[in-house]
């Protein structure tokens, strides 16, 4: 599960700089081959900062369609590792007001190996699809 607060800074009518704060919770249950009936839990909490660009390629009557790419550095809050990732997405947004939009964004992320022995979703599936939705705040540079 991931939650993100994102802010877009409009560089021009079609291009925006994006950043924010991301929280991710990874939960796993697993057993070892020696003791298959004994299950262990792993709960990892990450806090991250995504940075990227978004390009709007089509806009019509309140709706806009865009492509975006970003990198994110996440810190595991209960352990040492840092997690780098790259994300590419295509999305649609409906402007509720000129500063606030409701968006839906299918994306594909790649999560680089964090250098630890932890077993988690990012290691099993480094290329991971996701669907994001929510509210987005736009800040204009004008």
């Amino acid at each position: 599960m991931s939650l993100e607060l994102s802010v877009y800074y409009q560089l021009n009518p079609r291009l925006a700089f994006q950043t924010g704060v991301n929280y991710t919770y990874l939960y796993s249950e697993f057993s070892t081959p020696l003791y298959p009936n004994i299950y262990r839990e792993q709960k990892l909490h990450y806090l991250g900062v995504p940075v990227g660009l978004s390009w709007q390629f089509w806009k019509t009557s309140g709706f806009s369609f865009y492509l975006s790419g970003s990198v994110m550095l996440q810190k595991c809050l209960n352990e040492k590792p840092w997690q780098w990732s790259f994300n590419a997405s295509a999305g649609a947004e409906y402007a509720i007001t000129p500063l606030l939009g409701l968006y839906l964004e299918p994306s594909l992320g790649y999560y680089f190996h964090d250098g630890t022995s932890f077993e988690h979703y990012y290691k099993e599936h480094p290329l991971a699809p996701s669907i994001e939705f929510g509210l987005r705040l736009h800040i204009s540079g004008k």
Side-chain angles (χ1 to χ4, degrees), residues 71-122:
V71 295
M72 181 166 54
L73 178 61
Q74 293 178 295
K75 171 68 173 105
C76 183
L77 300 177
N78 45 342
E79 294 294 336
K80 290 183 181 182
W82 290 83
Q83 178 74 54
W84 280 99
S85 62
F86 173 77
N87 188 60
S89 58
E93 183 172 335
Y94 177 73
I96 298 169
T97 72
L99 295 178
L100 190 64
L102 181 64
Y103 72 95
L104 177 67
E105 190 176 285
S107 63
L108 189 60
Y110 183 81
Y111 296 86
F112 296 94
H113 193 283
D114 62 8
T116 68
S117 61
F118 291 136
E119 293 299 325
H120 53 69
Y121 185 80
Y122 294 152

Side-chain angles (χ1 to χ4, degrees), residues 9 22 29 33 49 55 66 72 75 85 103 105 122 125 131 138:
Y9 181 81
N22 176 287
E29 285 184 356
V49 177
W55 174 65
Y66 58 89
M72 181 166 54
K75 171 68 173 105
S85 62
Y103 72 95
E105 190 176 285
Y122 294 152
H125 308 280
I131 296 178
H138 292 266

Side-chain angles (χ1 to χ4, degrees), residues 29-44:
E29 285 184 356
F30 55 93
S31 63
T32 62
L34 294 175
Y35 304 102
N37 296 331
I38 298 175
Y39 291 93
R40 294 189 59 211
E41 289 184 334
Q42 179 175 262
K43 298 175 184 179
L44 300 175

